[in-house]
Amino acid sequence: MGQEIQQYHFSSADFDSFRERVRNETLRLAEWFRDGAFSTRDRVIGLELEAWLIDREAQPAPINTEYLRTLNDPMAVPELARFNIELNVHPQSLTGTALSKLHADLRRTWEHCYHVAEDFDARLLMTGILPTLEDRHLVMANMSEMKRYRALNEQVLLQRQGRPLRLDIRGNETLRTEHRDVMLESASTSFQLHLKVNLDRAARYYNLAQMLSAPLVAVSANSPYLFGRDLWDETRIPVFEQSVEVGGHAAASHGPVHRVSFGTGYVHGSLFETFQENCDHFPVLLPIEYDVPPEQLAHLRLHNGTIWRWNRPLIGFDDDGTPHLRIEHRVIPAGPTLADGIANAAFFYGLIFELGERDEVLEWRLPFATARDNFYAAARHGLEAQVTWFDGKRVRMQALLVDKLLPLARRGLERLELDGDDIEHYTGIIRQRLRNGCNGAAWQRAWVARHGRDWQGLTEACLERQRTDTPVHEWDI
């Protein structure tokens, strides 16, 4: 989905040809799984950070075309809306000082991007949902000037047979609105983690990423408000799910399998099951034909890029062309700071490694339906969520994080032989956040409780504190 395309109107022949290519590439991928053809250079990590361009009144600034042209940095690319961009980092081997290196790499890019934004009389902000965002900002005039987004919009609406996309979110308050385009998707911005995995452990790590989605979304929640309404702790979750609501075959907009979802279950044998599901159950959205060798799996990978599971398996390639497997963990919102983001990453990588290297079958102790219910409970209620953990035990999320999961994450980072100072620093951020009960969502609500619903004031307060890279648990109100 990151590549530009040359057209956005398609014929039935385009769709037929693309489906055939996806089927053939899926068969080729099946052979790779059978033959163990994937790279064994695992434990490589990376991330993507989506950010907002805002003006001097803290309103969305739809300038990313001219801004990115001036920035001229390959680590920054456009997002769906003209007021959003995505920042990337160089992948790091998960060893030694990988965490602080990621932090420093991201900070360098962030500072460069921030200073260039000032040349446009704008600022750069990281947050799950911009507090000053209004429905009127989410219009086609503010869609990024890339054909792939126009094509996505056209195809989603065609598959919905022209029915508008509706938001219906019931949290502390209720929000209902509808759009005849996909611009609602741009209301949410995230901090996405990547983990390269070996074939023999890939299924286990993927299932664990699903189990750990609830704790990660609870500890990192940073999106309580949308269009002035107090909704979920992580309102990003229902916004994204409802803003591209297109289902599987035979029920384009209301089928049981949706393009943005927690998924349909754990994998049992290998990650290939998800790619087979892509081929069997999801209509093609963007039938772009690439003139490249079939072993690049270009069509399969594009199709996978239009299916937004909260944990998404990816096929990539090492520098020498060897294919590899990655897991993209998509549940974490952007912000409140870079330090908070790297702490969230450390927590995830430590936990998934500590649990993933065990021999026990954890899927038996936490059924998929329970992991899914936990995820939505955590998105709604954050640290206050009541969830069911291993062996059917009911527990408050904050207690689970403090008593069980944070010690496991630290142990996992130690097993990885990461730098001791890094471990102490980043797990310390999580520890203090939990001790204070203060993730980004809690801080935003505390600020509003004191100052009222001054959305510009809240945005400026976030921006001012964000500039120091001081973790959110230390922010005053």
Side-chain angles (χ1 to χ4, degrees), residues 273-325:
E273 296 161 29
T274 61
F275 294 97
Q276 188 67 65
E277 182 179 83
N278 291 354
C279 184
D280 293 344
H281 293 290
F282 290 99
V284 171
L285 275 185
L286 298 178
I288 308 300
E289 293 209 15
Y290 295 102
D291 185 18
V292 297
E295 57 268 19
Q296 291 188 18
L297 305 188
H299 307 87
L300 177 148
R301 294 164 68 202
L302 174 61
H303 187 48
N304 188 51
T306 66
I307 300 161
W308 296 273
R309 297 176 181 90
W310 289 111
N311 294 281
R312 180 162 61 183
L314 299 175
I315 305 294
F317 296 90
D318 289 354
D319 291 340
D320 63 1
T322 304
H324 68 240
L325 296 170

Side-chain angles (χ1 to χ4, degrees), residues 47-51 87 102-104 106-107 110-111 124-128 190-193 219-222 332-346 425-426 429-430 433 438-441 443-444 461-476:
L47 59 85
E48 305 165 34
L49 171 61
E50 297 167 351
L87 308 184
L102 271 183
H103 194 169
L106 187 57
R107 184 187 291 119
W110 181 266
E111 290 301 321
L124 203 61
L125 179 76
M126 64 186 101
T127 187
S190 63
F191 184 83
Q192 299 166 18
L193 303 179
V219 80
S220 65
N222 191 36
I332 300 171
T337 65
L338 298 178
D340 284 302
I342 301 300
N344 294 334
H425 177 61
Y426 294 110
I429 290 173
I430 301 294
R433 192 189 303 168
C438 186
N439 55 20
W443 185 87
Q444 288 191 43
C462 289
L463 184 64
E464 176 187 356
R465 290 155 180 78
Q466 194 171 97
R467 290 295 295 147
T468 68
D469 205 19
T470 302
V472 69
H473 70 266
E474 297 183 24
W475 289 10
D476 60 41

Side-chain angles (χ1 to χ4, degrees), residues 137-425:
H137 296 127
L138 303 179
V139 294
M140 289 295 290
N142 283 335
M143 179 177 281
S144 287
E145 296 177 3
M146 301 191 74
K147 292 186 179 69
R148 72 173 188 263
Y149 294 129
R150 305 279 167 176
L152 175 68
N153 182 72
E154 181 172 296
Q155 295 305 315
V156 166
L157 294 180
L158 281 172
Q159 291 202 11
R160 290 182 59 83
Q161 300 173 334
R163 289 188 292 269
L165 291 148
R166 292 185 174 89
L167 281 189
D168 185 351
I169 305 174
R170 303 173 193 188
N172 293 331
E173 297 171 351
T174 298
L175 173 65
R176 294 188 182 92
T177 188
E178 65 179 44
H179 274 240
R180 294 190 176 275
D181 53 58
V182 298
M183 285 297 288
L184 283 167
E185 180 190 332
S186 63
S188 62
T189 45
S190 63
F191 184 83
Q192 299 166 18
L193 303 179
H194 288 243
L195 174 64
K196 187 178 170 186
V197 291
N198 269 337
L199 175 62
D200 62 348
R201 292 279 177 174
R204 170 167 291 184
Y205 275 70
Y206 179 74
N207 291 345
L208 274 171
Q210 293 177 302
M211 296 180 201
L212 297 176
S213 293
L216 262 295
V217 82
V219 80
S220 65
N222 191 36
S223 313
Y225 299 110
L226 175 62
F227 302 158
R229 306 290 176 84
D230 184 346
L231 300 167
W232 293 17
D233 276 34
E234 193 46 42
T235 305
R236 247 180 71 255
I237 303 303
V239 168
F240 195 22
E241 290 193 350
Q242 296 178 31
S243 63
V244 195
E245 190 184 8
V246 182
H249 288 297
S253 65
H254 298 290
V257 182
H258 288 275
R259 298 192 93 98
V260 185
S261 77
F262 193 69
T264 57
Y266 294 138
V267 298
H268 301 289
S270 76
L271 289 185
F272 178 72
E273 296 161 29
T274 61
F275 294 97
Q276 188 67 65
E277 182 179 83
N278 291 354
C279 184
D280 293 344
H281 293 290
F282 290 99
V284 171
L285 275 185
L286 298 178
I288 308 300
E289 293 209 15
Y290 295 102
D291 185 18
V292 297
E295 57 268 19
Q296 291 188 18
L297 305 188
H299 307 87
L300 177 148
R301 294 164 68 202
L302 174 61
H303 187 48
N304 188 51
T306 66
I307 300 161
W308 296 273
R309 297 176 181 90
W310 289 111
N311 294 281
R312 180 162 61 183
L314 299 175
I315 305 294
F317 296 90
D318 289 354
D319 291 340
D320 63 1
T322 304
H324 68 240
L325 296 170
R326 295 201 314 277
I327 296 167
E328 183 183 41
H329 189 62
R330 304 168 53 81
V331 309
I332 300 171
T337 65
L338 298 178
D340 284 302
I342 301 300
N344 294 334
F347 184 56
F348 174 73
Y349 291 133
L351 261 179
I352 201 168
F353 180 77
E354 176 64 19
L355 294 173
E357 295 303 307
R358 297 182 175 186
D359 291 331
E360 59 182 316
V361 182
L362 294 174
E363 291 88 340
W364 294 348
R365 300 180 60 191
L366 186 66
F368 175 79
T370 304
R372 181 186 57 211
D373 291 347
N374 287 346
F375 174 66
Y376 291 107
R380 276 182 181 271
H381 304 295
L383 297 174
E384 298 299 320
Q386 294 290 323
V387 296
T388 302
W389 200 239
F390 292 148
D391 306 320
K393 294 179 180 176
R394 291 288 292 174
V395 63
R396 181 169 167 264
M397 179 59 79
Q398 189 169 4
L400 174 66
L401 288 160
V402 171
D403 298 339
K404 301 290 185 183
L405 299 186
L406 184 55
L408 286 174
R410 185 179 180 107
R411 193 179 309 156
L413 296 172
E414 290 169 347
R415 283 182 187 243
L416 286 162
E417 299 183 345
L418 267 66
D419 178 79
D421 289 340
D422 276 8
I423 294 172
E424 179 59 34
H425 177 61

